Amino acid sequence: MKNSGAVLILTFITKLISQAAGVSPPGKPRLTSCRSPEKETFTCRWEPGDDGGLPTTYALYYRLENSETVYECPDYRTAGENSCFFNKNDTSLWVNYNITVVATNALGKNISDPVEVDVAYIVQPNTPENVTAVVVDDDQGPFVKVSWEKPRTADTRSGWITLLYQLRVKQEKDKEWEEYDAGRQKSYRVFSLHPDKEFMVQVRCKPDHGFWSEWTQTTYVKMPNYIPRERSLWIIITIFSVFIVLILTWTLNVKRNSVKLCLLPPVPGPKIKGFDKQLLKNGMSEEVFNSLVIQGFPPTTDYENLLVEYLEVYDNEEQELVLDGKDLSEDCIKSKSPSDCDSGRGSCDSRTLLLEKCIDGREGSGSDQHHYSQHGETSWASTESSECQGLEPGSPESSDGRVKTWPVVFSSPQPHHHYQVGAVKPVYHSVPEILNHSSPHAMPINYHQLHHQDIPQQEGRFSKPVCRHSQSYNQFNLDGVDTHALGVSPSRSLEYVEVQRVNPENILLLRPLSDPNHEPEGSDYSGEDYSKVKEVTSNNILLLQKDTSHQCVDDYSQADQCTTQQPPHPCKPVVHQSNSGMPQEGMWVTGNGYVDSTVLMPSY
Amino acid sequence: MSRSLKQVAVLLVALLCLDPHGRVGSAPICAHGPSGCHIPSLADLFDRVIQHSARMHSLSNDLHSEFEQYFLPSKNHIGKIYRKCHTSNILTPNGKENAQKLAREELTEVILKLLMAWRDPLFQLHQSMAHQQDFNSFSSNKALEMGDMAHELRKGVEKVAEKMRVLGMLGNSVTGLSAAEAMLPLSDSGEAMSDYELLYCFRRDSNKVQNYLKILKCRIVPEHDC
C-alpha cells in the first residue's frame, strides 16, 4: 500500500517534470510499406512518430502465420533508416507475416498497428537498366528503337518472376506522356515521332502480380530532320502529272482542228451526181430531182409472159418487178463496196440491199443467167465501188468475183447488162420509186411471193440498196416511165404492191396486189392510202394496223438505223415485217390498212 | 423378291468380310507423323498449362478482392489473420531455392496434390456462392469457371507429366498421381471454412501452382520466356 502510493507519486512527479522539460514517450510509429524486389527478400519501412524529445529506438517484431513465436528484425541497416531487411533465409513465401514496430524511449514505448504481409504479393521490382534509345533509319522513315535490360535482381531466367515492361515518351515541352506497353520484350520501336525534336524516354516494369517499378532515368533522343518520304513522293507525282497535263493541253490546242475532225465528223451531204444541193436547200422543187431522173425508165416491155411472179410496179406498162428469188439470176452484181466516200452513211445501203436480194434470189432459185436474160430484165449493177464503203452484202461464196446483176424491176426487154463492179454507176431503183415512176397504167400484177426461205438472213441487205438507191438515180433507165414525178406520183390505177413482209433486216418484201379493190398504193398525197400505224413501240417499232377481216400477222415495223434521218440522207425508215412463223402469209392490207411504203422510202 | 434381297444381303456381307479393304479399321489421326497433324510439343503443353494457371489465379484474385471490397471494408488492406488453409498439410516449397532444390517429380507431385485438394472445395464454393443472395451472378460464374479451370489444369498437368515420363524426363517415382486425394476443407477446429477463407486460401494456392509450373518449365524446356 505504501509502495504503490509511493510509485504513484513518483510517476506523477516525473510526468510533471517531463512535461515541464518537454519530453514524452514516443509517438506511435507507422509501417509505411513492405516491398520485395525479387520475391526472395523483402524490406519493411516505417515512419517514426513523435520521438517525445528523447532518443527513441525502434524495433520491429514479426510473427509468422499460425505461430506464436515472435522474432525481431534481423537487419536494420541494409535498407537504411527506419527499415528492416529480411534476407532470403528469413523470407518465406506464401506465409503471412504479422509485423509490428515498437518505438521506445526513456519514457515509454509505443507499438504500431500490426500489418499482415504475404511476400508473394508485395513484389515491386527494381527499375529496368541500360535504357538506350537509338534512331534507326528505314525506308519509311526514321524511328526510334528503345532497348533496355531487366533489373539485375529479378530472376526471370528460372521462371521465378515474369516481368512486363512499359515505356513512355514525350517531348520536353509536352505535358502528357505517351505510354506504350512492351509486354515481355526488352525493346520497342517508336514510330511517327516529329522530326528535328528531342524526346524523353522512360521505362518501367512489373511482375505479373505485383507493383510497378519506378521509372528509369530519362533517356534523351533527338530525331533527325527529314522530310516524310510519302509526302515527297506525292509531290513528285503531282508535279509530274501536272506537267503531262500541260503538255497534253498544249498538244490538243495545236491540233485542235484534227481533233475536232476526229471527234465530230462532219455530216455528209448527198453525193448524187447531178444533184444540186443548193436547190435542195432553197426548198423542195421538182427541178432538184430532175437531174436524178433516168431517161427511158421504166422500160415498157411486156414481161407478163416471161416472169411468173413479178412485183408489179407500174400499172400501165406491164412491168414487173422481179423480186422473187427465182428470177434473180446469178448475174446479180454483187456489190462489194470497198470504200464509202460518204462517211456519214450508216449501214443503210440500198444498193447493197438490192444486190443482196439479187444474190439471194439467185441462190434460192438457182436460176441461171440464162433464165434471167430470158426475161430481158435489165440488171442493176451495183454501185460503183468507189462510192461505197465496206458494206458487206454478205453474199454467198459463189458471188465472189462474180458480177451480179439485179433483175430489172421493169420488164423491159433489155438485155441484161453486166456491170462490172466499180465500172458502171448503179442503175437500180427503189421499189417504191419504181412504183412511183410507173405511169398510171394498169399492170398485171403478179404476186410475188417472197418466200421466207428464199430470202434467208441476207434479207437484211435489202434495205441497203433501198437506202442508197439515190446514188443511181441518174443512171436509171426508165423506159416509158413517167419520170416527171420522182416524187410521189398519184396513180390510182396503179396496181399496188403490197408489202408482203418485211424482214427484220430492213428488207421490204413487196408483192403486187391483184385485188383491184385495193386502193392503190398511195403516196403521201392521199392520206387514206396510208397504212395506219397502230402504235409505236419503244424500240422504234411501228405497229401497223391490220384489217380485221384478214388474217393478219402482226407487223412489226422496225425502224432502220438510218430511219431517223431526214433527207438528203438517203436512208429512211423501212417497213419490216417480222418473219416469226409466218413465212407464207403476207400482210393483208385492205382498205385503210395499207402500208404506204412510199412514205417510208426516200422520196425524191 | 425377298429371296433375292436376302441373296444380295448375303453377298454384300460376304464381300465386306472377305474384302480386306472393306474392313473398317481405326487409325490415329496423326498416324503419318508430324506432317500429318500438329502434335503439341512439351513446350507447347507447358505454355498452355501455364496460361491456364495464370487465368485461374487472376480469377481467384478478382474474387478475393471483390469479397474484400464488399464484405470486409473495414479491414486493413495489407492483410489479416486467417485461419489455416486445409492444404497446409501439403509440404510446399516456400522459396525459390527450396523450389529449385526439389526434383522434377516431386515438384510435379506437389502441383498435382494441390490441384487435387481443391477439386471439391471449389465445387462447394461455387454452390454456396450461387445460393447466397449477396453475390451477384457474375461472381458465382467466376467461381464456377474457377472450379472448371482447376479441373482442366489438373488434367493438363497430368498430361504434361505423362509426356515427361514418355520422354524419359521423369522417373517412375512419381507416385503423386495416384496418391493425391481429395481433402475436405476443414480447418483445425473442424468447421467448414467460410467462403472468404476459401477464397483466400485458393488465391494463395493458385499462385503457388503458377509459380511451380513456371519453374518446372524453365528447368525442363528453357527455350524462350525464361
Side-chain angles (χ1 to χ4, degrees):
Chain A
M1 189 66 178
K2 250 189 186 177
N3 280 347
S4 61
V7 167
L8 207 62
I9 292 164
L10 207 60
T11 49
F12 186 63
I13 292 166
T14 315
K15 223 173 180 186
L16 282 170
I17 294 168
S18 67
Q19 269 180 4
V23 290
S24 65
K28 196 168 174 182
R30 191 174 70 90
L31 275 162
T32 51
S33 70
C34 293
R35 290 285 181 262
S36 165
E38 76 288 83
K39 217 151 83 171
E40 295 168 48
T41 66
F42 72 106
T43 308
C44 279
R45 295 178 196 278
W46 64 85
E47 188 187 62
D50 180 29
D51 64 350
L54 293 168
T56 317
T57 57
Y58 297 92
L60 186 140
Y61 297 101
Y62 66 92
R63 197 162 53 87
L64 283 174
E65 176 181 312
N66 301 319
S67 159
E68 296 302 324
T69 321
V70 177
Y71 303 93
E72 195 182 340
C73 173
D75 188 340
Y76 288 104
R77 295 190 187 285
T78 312
E81 194 71 30
N82 294 329
S83 70
C84 175
F85 176 74
F86 293 82
N87 60 14
K88 285 185 189 179
N89 297 329
D90 299 321
T91 309
S92 301
L93 254 64
W94 301 300
V95 173
N96 268 344
Y97 282 74
N98 190 319
I99 297 170
T100 55
V101 176
V102 175
T104 316
N105 70 1
L107 292 174
K109 61 180 180 180
N110 216 330
I111 303 177
S112 67
D113 291 330
V115 158
E116 288 275 340
V117 168
D118 189 338
V119 180
Y121 300 116
I122 54 162
V123 183
Q124 185 183 25
N126 294 328
T127 61
E129 292 169 9
N130 274 352
V131 180
T132 59
V134 176
V135 176
V136 176
D137 228 331
D138 198 12
D139 294 338
Q140 271 88 29
F143 60 89
V144 174
K145 182 166 177 184
V146 186
S147 26
W148 56 87
E149 286 168 14
K150 67 167 180 69
R152 227 171 300 139
T153 53
D155 184 9
T156 55
R157 204 122 192 280
S158 64
W160 188 239
I161 280 188
T162 311
L163 291 173
L164 302 166
Y165 299 97
Q166 199 181 58
L167 73 145
R168 66 180 187 182
V169 180
K170 84 171 171 89
Q171 289 184 45
E172 191 82 47
K173 58 181 171 68
D174 286 344
K175 263 192 246 172
E176 301 281 326
W177 287 90
E178 187 85 34
E179 286 188 357
Y180 303 98
D181 277 313
R184 288 198 277 229
Q185 303 161 245
K186 297 199 183 61
S187 67
Y188 195 80
R189 295 182 181 193
V190 186
F191 294 97
S192 304
L193 291 176
H194 302 297
D196 202 26
K197 294 269 172 19
E198 193 164 50
F199 287 92
M200 302 157 57
V201 179
Q202 287 182 335
V203 187
R204 68 175 181 179
C205 60
K206 140 179 139 71
D208 38 9
H209 310 286
F211 301 97
W212 280 106
S213 70
E214 299 293 331
W215 289 104
T216 57
Q217 298 286 328
T218 309
T219 306
Y220 290 91
V221 63
K222 181 138 193 314
M223 286 292 286
N225 199 1
Y226 72 100
I227 299 169
R229 278 286 191 91
E230 302 141 14
R231 219 173 287 167
S232 63
L233 190 67
W234 281 113
I235 287 169
I236 290 169
I237 287 172
T238 314
I239 290 171
F240 197 60
S241 53
V242 164
F243 188 60
I244 286 176
V245 164
L246 280 171
I247 287 179
L248 276 171
T249 314
W250 182 78
T251 313
L252 274 172
N253 193 31
V254 165
K255 303 262 186 225
R256 83 183 86 115
N257 287 332
S258 56
V259 166
K260 210 168 162 188
L261 207 65
C262 179
L263 289 175
L264 305 167
V267 176
K271 286 192 185 161
I272 303 162
K273 197 170 177 183
F275 195 78
D276 194 355
K277 256 189 260 186
Q278 280 305 316
L279 277 176
L280 187 67
K281 280 183 189 167
N282 296 337
M284 290 282 283
S285 71
E286 294 192 349
E287 298 144 16
V288 176
F289 300 107
N290 278 343
S291 56
L292 298 176
V293 174
I294 299 173
Q295 299 301 323
F297 184 82
T300 54
T301 49
D302 186 12
Y303 278 87
E304 222 175 9
N305 53 348
L306 294 175
L307 299 171
V308 178
E309 292 171 351
Y310 279 86
L311 180 64
E312 188 76 17
V313 177
Y314 288 85
D315 54 355
N316 55 352
E317 290 188 338
E318 295 185 342
Q319 288 161 348
E320 292 157 352
L321 176 66
V322 178
L323 287 175
D324 191 1
K326 290 186 195 167
D327 302 321
L328 301 176
S329 74
E330 308 149 9
D331 296 328
C332 291
I333 296 175
K334 173 190 157 195
S335 108
K336 274 196 173 133
S337 50
S339 64
D340 186 14
C341 310
D342 214 343
S343 62
R345 290 191 202 114
S347 57
C348 209
D349 185 12
S350 58
R351 168 195 51 82
T352 320
L353 175 65
L354 277 177
L355 285 168
E356 286 166 7
K357 179 66 191 68
C358 167
I359 293 154
D360 295 330
R362 180 177 58 82
E363 285 180 300
S365 63
S367 63
D368 58 359
Q369 212 164 358
H370 176 68
H371 178 87
Y372 178 73
S373 58
Q374 201 177 9
H375 301 276
E377 294 167 332
T378 58
S379 55
W380 284 286
S382 59
T383 322
E384 71 275 12
S385 55
S386 59
E387 281 198 48
C388 314
Q389 205 164 21
L391 297 166
E392 178 49 50
S395 57
E397 300 75 2
S398 56
S399 68
D400 283 347
R402 300 249 294 189
V403 172
K404 295 178 187 120
T405 58
W406 278 100
V408 73
V409 173
F410 302 103
S411 54
S412 60
Q414 291 175 6
H416 72 271
H417 306 284
H418 289 268
Y419 293 89
Q420 298 300 321
V421 174
V424 187
K425 294 230 167 107
V427 283
Y428 55 82
H429 198 344
S430 66
V431 168
E433 204 47 48
I434 292 164
L435 283 170
N436 289 336
H437 285 285
S438 67
S439 49
H441 51 269
M443 284 172 67
I445 295 174
N446 295 329
Y447 277 86
H448 167 58
Q449 297 291 335
L450 299 174
H451 297 287
H452 181 51
Q453 60 265 27
D454 292 340
I455 303 159
Q457 294 76 17
Q458 293 157 359
E459 286 163 338
R461 294 168 276 164
F462 210 3
S463 64
K464 293 173 189 171
V466 171
C467 292
R468 294 176 60 113
H469 73 285
S470 57
Q471 289 179 2
S472 59
Y473 246 104
N474 50 358
Q475 299 281 330
F476 201 80
N477 232 350
L478 295 171
D479 285 4
V481 171
D482 185 354
T483 62
H484 72 277
L486 272 180
V488 179
S489 55
S491 164
R492 292 217 176 252
S493 58
L494 273 175
E495 288 164 354
Y496 290 93
V497 178
E498 68 178 33
V499 178
Q500 182 186 14
R501 180 167 67 252
V502 181
N503 294 319
E505 294 173 358
N506 307 340
I507 292 183
L508 183 66
L509 309 174
L510 304 172
R511 74 174 178 191
L513 287 171
S514 61
D515 187 356
N517 292 335
H518 290 191
E519 285 192 11
E521 253 185 334
S523 46
D524 37 13
Y525 62 88
S526 68
E528 63 234 27
D529 294 332
Y530 286 88
S531 59
K532 287 188 180 169
V533 176
K534 194 174 170 187
E535 72 178 64
V536 180
T537 63
S538 60
N539 298 340
N540 304 330
I541 295 177
L542 289 172
L543 214 59
L544 302 173
Q545 189 176 10
K546 316 179 273 281
D547 201 307
T548 51
S549 59
H550 292 265
Q551 286 179 347
C552 292
V553 180
D554 260 349
D555 303 329
Y556 299 92
S557 315
Q558 196 166 9
D560 195 0
Q561 58 241 44
C562 349
T563 58
T564 53
Q565 305 207 14
Q566 298 299 316
H569 198 286
C571 295
K572 274 239 176 135
V574 180
V575 176
H576 306 286
Q577 187 173 354
S578 69
N579 303 327
S580 52
M582 299 282 196
Q584 298 300 325
E585 284 181 321
M587 181 178 83
W588 300 64
V589 187
T590 56
N592 294 333
Y594 271 81
V595 174
D596 186 14
S597 58
T598 58
V599 179
L600 305 168
M601 301 300 283
S603 55
Y604 292 92
Chain B
M1 184 63 180
S2 60
R3 255 189 86 193
S4 61
L5 272 173
K6 269 191 197 168
Q7 284 171 356
V8 168
V10 166
L11 268 171
L12 271 170
V13 169
L15 272 170
L16 282 172
C17 292
L18 294 173
D19 181 14
H21 299 293
R23 284 209 190 89
V24 177
S26 66
I29 297 172
C30 298
H32 301 289
S35 61
C37 66
H38 174 65
I39 304 172
S41 65
L42 192 59
D44 292 336
L45 282 174
F46 262 116
D47 281 338
R48 289 183 200 180
V49 154
I50 286 169
Q51 272 175 29
H52 241 99
S53 69
R55 171 88 181 130
M56 193 176 73
H57 177 70
S58 78
L59 276 174
S60 70
N61 213 6
D62 292 342
L63 276 174
H64 179 262
S65 46
E66 264 179 44
F67 219 105
E68 244 183 3
Q69 195 177 355
Y70 293 120
F71 292 92
L72 307 160
S74 60
K75 299 301 176 194
N76 186 348
H77 75 279
I78 292 185
K80 188 188 180 333
I81 297 175
Y82 302 108
R83 278 185 279 186
K84 203 169 165 182
C85 292
H86 68 285
T87 51
S88 49
N89 301 332
I90 304 171
L91 285 174
T92 57
N94 57 5
K96 189 177 91 172
E97 283 82 13
N98 294 346
Q100 284 176 331
K101 275 184 207 158
L102 275 186
R104 298 176 201 167
E105 296 87 353
E106 288 162 12
L107 200 52
T108 316
E109 201 175 321
V110 161
I111 294 168
L112 286 169
K113 269 188 189 168
L114 280 172
L115 288 170
M116 193 62 196
W118 276 102
R119 191 188 63 180
D120 294 332
L122 283 176
F123 180 72
Q124 269 183 24
L125 180 67
H126 164 65
Q127 293 288 76
S128 86
M129 276 177 85
H131 287 133
Q132 282 182 24
Q133 303 296 337
D134 301 333
F135 288 102
N136 54 12
S137 61
F138 195 55
S139 296
S140 89
N141 282 345
K142 272 191 193 167
L144 180 63
E145 195 184 343
M146 210 162 65
D148 289 339
M149 288 225 140
H151 180 74
E152 294 292 328
L153 187 58
R154 186 164 56 82
K155 290 273 188 301
V157 174
E158 280 170 6
K159 281 206 175 70
V160 168
E162 189 61 40
K163 182 111 185 163
M164 283 202 293
R165 201 177 300 117
V166 161
L167 292 173
M169 292 176 178
L170 277 186
N172 283 330
S173 60
V174 182
T175 56
L177 293 175
S178 53
E181 48 202 54
M183 287 182 184
L184 286 174
L186 297 175
S187 64
D188 278 342
S189 53
E191 296 163 5
M193 295 177 74
S194 70
D195 289 343
Y196 183 64
E197 284 163 351
L198 277 175
L199 279 173
Y200 177 83
C201 290
F202 184 66
R203 176 174 164 240
R204 176 190 288 177
D205 284 341
S206 60
N207 199 355
K208 277 187 191 174
V209 164
Q210 190 181 5
N211 248 140
Y212 297 155
L213 280 170
K214 278 187 188 166
I215 289 180
L216 202 59
K217 184 219 168 183
C218 284
R219 204 193 291 182
I220 291 174
V221 281
E223 282 137 15
H224 55 279
D225 293 344
C226 284

